[in-house]
Amino acid sequence: MREKRKVRALLWPPLAVLLVLAALSPLAWAEARQPVYGAGPAREPTPPPATAAPTEAPVPALARLWPVGVRPAVVRGWDPPLTPYGHGHRGVDLAAAPGSPVRAVAAGRVTFAGRVGGKGVVSIELSGTGLRTTYEPVRASVGKGDEVAAGEVVGRVETTGAHCPAGCLHWGLRRGEAYLDPLSLLPPALLRRAPSRLLPVLT
């Protein structure tokens, strides 16, 4: 009898410890699953990703006139390529007969006036904008470094081949290496067609 009591006395403390641990383990698991804020960077909530700021500034509508004519027809519109070397149309084609004067749409400085691939090209950096307009095919009447005013004639449309059989001016716009829509330089008043006017019938 005494031996059984001794055995019970020896087994009771470890059993009590095991019972206490078993009772506390669900609480420990529950606490471990709760997020602990402020206990260190690994447990702090992750803030939502910041919205990326736009990298492309809008194009200012600073053109004072169309480069050719008053309201020329857009033969082919701007179609930006998906990749830097992909297919697309990096500008707009404006209907213009050979010999038509080509004017600077805004004030700037001529950065190039010469031939590229057999075509005459004039490029003008618009003052204080970081934008460059290009005109082709043009027989230039200005040279590199010339300062030009809005509306100043920079050349005349050359006869073209396959690009525009009926005659046109290719007008482009760039900021750095990125091509932009040159029509975005035009304010709404220049983009709208003039209202129709009824003329008197002469008999």
Side-chain angles (χ1 to χ4, degrees):
M1 212 43 200
R2 290 178 181 176
E3 291 180 358
K4 289 183 179 179
R5 288 178 181 175
K6 288 181 180 179
V7 171
R8 288 177 183 174
L10 292 173
L11 292 177
W12 176 244
L15 286 173
V17 172
L18 289 174
L19 289 173
V20 170
L21 290 176
L24 292 177
S25 59
L27 295 175
W29 279 107
E31 288 180 0
R33 289 173 183 170
Q34 296 296 324
V36 179
Y37 299 109
R43 291 197 174 189
E44 290 182 2
T46 305
T51 305
T55 56
E56 223 177 74
V59 176
L62 49 78
R64 296 292 174 261
L65 71 169
W66 288 82
V68 286
V70 177
R71 178 51 171 96
V74 178
V75 179
R76 184 179 177 189
W78 184 61
D79 181 20
L82 297 177
T83 62
Y85 301 101
H87 294 289
H89 195 230
R90 297 165 172 83
V92 295
D93 291 339
L94 306 176
S100 300
V102 178
R103 302 177 186 277
V105 298
R109 182 176 59 86
V110 178
T111 56
F112 181 83
R115 306 198 73 77
V116 177
K119 295 180 182 180
V121 178
V122 174
S123 180
I124 298 174
E125 183 176 340
L126 305 183
S127 301
T129 64
L131 300 169
R132 299 192 315 277
T133 55
T134 56
Y135 312 91
E136 63 174 279
V138 174
R139 183 178 290 103
S141 57
V142 293
K144 182 178 178 179
D146 288 350
E147 299 286 340
V148 296
E152 184 174 339
V153 174
V154 297
R156 293 188 175 273
V157 177
E158 290 184 323
T159 304
T160 67
H163 188 71
C164 276
C168 71
L169 174 77
H170 179 82
W171 180 27
L173 176 65
R174 294 177 71 176
R175 177 187 283 128
E177 296 303 315
Y179 290 88
L180 306 172
D181 183 2
L183 294 181
S184 57
L185 285 171
L186 297 170
L190 286 177
L191 283 170
R192 288 194 295 266
R193 290 186 179 275
S196 301
R197 291 186 298 174
L198 296 177
L199 299 177
V201 178
L202 302 177
T203 57

